[in-house]
Amino acid sequence: MRYWMSQINPYLEILGVSKRFGATQALDNVHLALYPGEIHALLGENGAGKSTLIKTMTGIHQPDSGAILVDGMNVSINSSAEAQRYGIAAIYQEPLVFPDLNIAENIFISHRNRGAFMNWGKLYRDAEAVLQKLDVQLDVRAQARGLALAAQQTVEIAKAISMNVRVLIMDEPTASLSAHEVEQLFRIIYNLREQGVAILFISHRMDEVFKIADRITVFRDGQFISSHPAGETTPEQAIKDMVGREMGEIFTKEPSDQGDPVMSVRNLTLPGTYSNINFDVHAGEVLGVAGLVGSGRTDVALALFGIEPAEYGQIMLNGMPVDIKSPKQAIELGIAYVPEDRRQHGLILELSIAKNITLPKLNAYAEMGLVQESNEAMVAEQYRQQFSIRTPDVKLHAGKLSGGNQQKVVLSKWLNTNPRLLILDEPTRGIDVGAKEEVHRLISDLAQQGIAILMISSDLPEVLAMSDRIMVMREGRQMGIFSREEADQEVIMTAAMGRVKLDEGGVF
């Protein structure tokens, strides 16, 4: 029996909480109960209210109405410091560690009662004791700068433990982790559950949710929809609750007529990163690129877009050799690149939707050397309608949009350059199932229009469903290219783990 099942009352309870921002009702009379020793998953599309709820629980926002109960007492959480005093902490997809401090300093950075002079011996011993609670071994004297993402998350969890955390909120903690790192994180989460910590786990990865959660709650459009013990619901029912309709298992790319090669790559090499990469991608084709973390997939994409050019090899566009040394040159040649991290590299969050969409070709919207906002707005409005970007106004800052809608803006931005080749790096990472289906339909439509698409993805069902052919990479080497008929999950994973032999050209 779980520890939480023996408890009469939850440690943290949200009762009828509502929150409005202007015309947007972010939360509408929602409720949630978190029990000690329970892993409680919260599901919902982007824009369902999950982030607003987190910020309300951690003191960043205050509710317009409703109540927050901690240990049965009605409380007001008006700052992150107050949330900390109640034992409420949150960790996010991108950990907030100080790279120039060591691990011990990062763990205790929020403590204000360690005296006027630092007792380094005690600091290191206390940090090691906290990590021991998590059954984790890290060098507490090591700088945080060199830590892998999974280790940074462990430091964030240790920081929360050091503050006597009672409720740990984890927002998309596995989005950037490898399968092995996910298993390590889950081991830590199970450990925390056994210690009686209430865990709120937020993820778009349905398989992970049903593997780890004790209870699953669904929000939609800022409203509470359902809450069930994990064993009493199914992924299909959860998805239906999230999107408000039945959905197929996964969208599959529609057939498209393929033309001549748009891009041909021969023996592309960047020593120490990747070597002897060979492929063609045709007009109307989706060439999927699969591989484990560190396989070099993104590095090849960066070379094709001129961000980090290769040292050796040849790139040809429509049969003509090209030497791509900058993104500006790549854009002029008809290449567009949708990066993996849309918030850091795909958008300028403080600019409007319209300005983000028109940014790569500003001259097209200028008169007498001045950019005309009316011209920008007209083009952006066309994309808003075409891609169903959920916003009342294209003048709204891109940072205000949900993840799925931000991804549509990034796609609009690069499609506005009229590319012949579109490179998509993790096109559906961190977006909900409804938005994912829309992006898949868009990719299929673009291929039918004759655009050549190179799609990098860690989502194996996505690669199999959306690709005409699949290139597999491992540790900077090309392990093979498989037709749609040849490929299945076992074939792709076997190649990604290095268990296939290359033929002379590196293509099967």
Side-chain angles (χ1 to χ4, degrees), residues 488-507:
D488 59 28
Q489 292 204 26
E490 183 178 357
V491 167
I492 300 304
M493 284 307 300
T494 299
M497 295 175 70
R499 297 178 185 170
V500 247
K501 292 183 179 179
L502 291 167
D503 68 4
E504 292 181 359
V507 179

Side-chain angles (χ1 to χ4, degrees), residues 17-21 26-27 51-64 68 76-80 400:
V17 164
S18 297
K19 182 67 179 180
R20 176 182 288 274
F21 299 99
L27 294 174
S51 294
T52 303
L53 180 68
I54 292 173
K55 291 175 180 177
T56 302
M57 295 166 66
T58 55
I60 298 171
H61 296 324
Q62 282 69 54
D64 298 330
I68 300 176
S76 294
I77 304 176
N78 297 310
S79 68
S80 57
K400 299 291 186 182

Side-chain angles (χ1 to χ4, degrees), residues 29 32 50 63-64 76 80 83 91 124 128 150 152 161 297 322 327 340 342 353 356 394 397 422 485:
N29 192 35
L32 183 78
K50 306 186 301 295
D64 298 330
S76 294
S80 57
I91 67 168
Y124 295 140
E128 288 169 348
Q152 292 180 42
I161 294 296
R297 300 168 305 169
V322 293
E340 178 180 6
R342 59 180 167 268
I353 295 165
N356 270 283
V394 294
H397 285 187
L422 179 61
E485 292 72 29

Side-chain angles (χ1 to χ4, degrees), residues 335-397:
I335 303 171
Y337 174 47
V338 175
E340 178 180 6
D341 189 335
R342 59 180 167 268
R343 293 180 66 87
Q344 292 291 329
H345 304 132
L347 294 169
I348 300 178
L349 299 176
E350 295 77 15
L351 290 185
S352 69
I353 295 165
K355 290 190 179 300
N356 270 283
I357 290 175
T358 59
L359 190 60
K361 48 183 297 186
L362 277 179
N363 288 341
Y365 307 99
E367 295 178 13
M368 303 294 289
L370 297 175
V371 175
Q372 303 299 305
E373 291 189 358
S374 59
N375 294 344
E376 289 183 309
M378 182 172 62
V379 170
E381 180 62 25
Q382 292 173 355
Y383 281 106
R384 186 188 73 83
Q385 294 181 22
Q386 181 181 352
F387 298 151
S388 301
I389 300 172
R390 296 179 188 175
T391 178
D393 194 337
V394 294
K395 295 180 181 179
L396 186 74
H397 285 187

Side-chain angles (χ1 to χ4, degrees), residues 109-145:
I109 190 72
S110 298
H111 290 242
R112 296 179 174 86
N113 60 346
R114 298 193 68 86
F117 298 97
M118 180 62 67
N119 184 336
W120 291 100
K122 178 172 172 51
L123 180 75
Y124 295 140
R125 288 193 299 273
D126 289 351
E128 288 169 348
V130 171
L131 292 172
Q132 191 172 12
K133 287 184 179 180
L134 300 177
D135 195 22
V136 169
Q137 290 186 342
L138 290 173
D139 181 0
V140 297
R141 294 169 174 80
Q143 262 196 338
R145 183 178 299 280

